[in-house]
Amino acid sequence: MLKVRKELWFGFVLMGLIILGAAYVLLSAPAITNGHLGLLMLSLVVVAIMLGFPTAFTLMGMGMLFAWLAYNRDTTHTLDLMVQAAYKTMFNDVLIAIPLFVFMGYLVERANLIEKLFKSLHLALARVP
């Protein structure tokens, strides 16, 4: 028999209860709204993170799953909004500073300036308690 820790059983039971409750609410509702899907997504993300899944993969997986659900419900608006958000981010002039800041950090690290800076600060502040 497969041995599973008590915490995992609790997490799996909790996730199953959330899915069963959500299925009951979704099947009894006259129409599935975005609020229903949002609450389901939030509860599944919280439980998956509590089970110990990595946060990045949990958010990516839930985002893909619920984007697929939204795409099947309304094919025109969901992907249009995704494309518009990507273009809005690409044309933001403030974000140009990010790659330049990363490049500056790379140059400072490669030129070994950080160690020289810390050494000079250590010498200047050696007498300060």
Side-chain angles (χ1 to χ4, degrees):
M1 175 130 177
L2 183 68
K3 285 195 103 171
V4 180
R5 296 184 316 216
K6 290 181 183 178
E7 306 90 48
L8 284 178
W9 276 113
F10 174 73
F12 287 136
V13 167
L14 185 62
M15 188 177 273
L17 288 173
I18 288 173
I19 291 173
L20 287 175
Y24 174 73
V25 168
L26 292 176
L27 291 176
S28 65
I32 299 172
T33 64
N34 290 338
H36 290 110
L37 292 176
L39 287 175
L40 178 64
M41 183 178 183
L42 177 67
S43 58
L44 288 178
V45 165
V46 168
V47 170
I49 290 174
M50 285 173 50
L51 280 175
F53 290 113
T55 307
F57 296 118
T58 300
L59 292 175
M60 180 180 59
M62 292 293 173
M64 289 172 54
L65 174 73
F66 282 90
W68 179 75
L69 283 174
Y71 180 74
N72 282 340
R73 289 182 60 220
D74 185 15
T75 58
T76 58
H77 298 297
T78 305
L79 294 179
D80 289 343
L81 290 175
M82 292 170 138
V83 171
Q84 289 175 4
Y87 275 118
K88 183 175 71 172
T89 303
M90 287 191 305
F91 286 115
N92 191 352
D93 292 335
V94 176
L95 297 178
I96 293 173
I98 294 174
L100 295 175
F101 186 76
V102 171
F103 181 63
M104 180 190 67
Y106 175 74
L107 288 178
V108 167
E109 187 262 334
R110 294 297 289 173
N112 212 8
L113 293 175
I114 298 296
E115 288 184 25
K116 292 178 184 177
L117 175 69
F118 281 134
K119 190 180 285 186
S120 63
L121 281 174
H122 179 67
L123 290 174
L125 300 174
R127 296 185 184 187
V128 177

